[in-house]
Structure formats: C-alpha cells, structure tokens
Amino acid sequence: MTVTVLAILETDFKPDLSLGRIMNERLKIAAADLQDIHLQPLNAVGQRSDDLVVYISYNPKYKIRWRVVNDVPEDVENFVAQTCGNLGYIQWKTASINVFKGSE
C-alpha cells in the first residue's frame, strides 16, 4: 500500500504571519513523520497499487486534525485513527459533503 500524508496549509482562520510560518513548518514535519514513521507498517498491507491518502491540518484551536480522504478498508482506517489518536491529533469533521469518499 502506498501511504501519502498531505499537510493542508490553508485553514479556515488566519493566524498571525510569523505564527503561520511556524505552524506550517510544524505541520509539514508532522506530515512527514506520520507518513514515514507512524504509518510505515501500512506499506506492507494490501496490494502495491492500493493507496492511503491522509490530510492533516489545523483546527481553529491550533490542534492538528486528520482525515482519510479515499476509500480504504475499515481496518486501515482504524489503524490510522488509533495512530493519530495516540499522537494527540483529532479527527477532522466537516459539515460539507466529502467529495473524496463515497456516500456514507
């Protein structure tokens, strides 16, 4: 399985310019660590052509939030949820329709 974690730098709120730079750098490092270290065991799961795409961003309270944006097996999504929860990240909930996943 190919694991990709993308840091979404655009947020619903506008932090101070200097704070924004620090937050963006921290988010990029968190995305790289999540992909290369914490979710690395998923590289051996499924077929080589399977993909897992995770977005991480900040919520208005400056906490890192995450969400899986493509269809993956439930056990993979549960592994991501457990891993992100252990890191103190919160699940990214949105009121809008998720165009990346099928209807739920």
Side-chain angles (χ1 to χ4, degrees):
M1 173 174 285
T2 303
V3 177
T4 305
V5 179
L6 298 172
I8 307 300
L9 305 178
E10 296 291 319
T11 59
D12 305 340
F13 57 95
K14 295 286 185 202
D16 185 48
L17 186 60
S18 59
L19 178 61
R21 275 192 228 123
I22 293 169
M23 289 173 57
N24 288 344
E25 194 60 36
R26 178 178 171 238
L27 196 63
K28 289 176 189 175
I29 292 168
D33 286 351
L34 188 60
Q35 177 176 318
D36 298 335
I37 299 170
H38 303 290
L39 297 181
Q40 195 272 337
L42 293 177
N43 288 328
V45 173
Q47 302 295 319
R48 291 181 67 117
S49 60
D50 292 342
D51 290 323
L52 167 66
V53 180
V54 179
Y55 286 174
I56 64 172
S57 183
Y58 284 104
N59 72 359
K61 295 182 180 178
Y62 304 114
K63 293 283 290 178
I64 293 179
R65 58 187 175 178
W66 65 272
R67 91 194 250 199
V68 175
V69 294
N70 64 329
D71 288 328
V72 294
E74 187 175 344
D75 61 329
V76 171
E77 192 156 357
N78 290 339
F79 182 83
V80 173
Q82 178 77 30
T83 301
C84 290
N86 290 343
L87 292 169
Y89 303 165
I90 57 175
Q91 189 168 9
W92 188 343
K93 300 191 183 200
T94 179
S96 63
I97 297 173
N98 187 346
V99 296
F100 297 104
K101 293 182 105 171
S103 60
E104 295 183 21

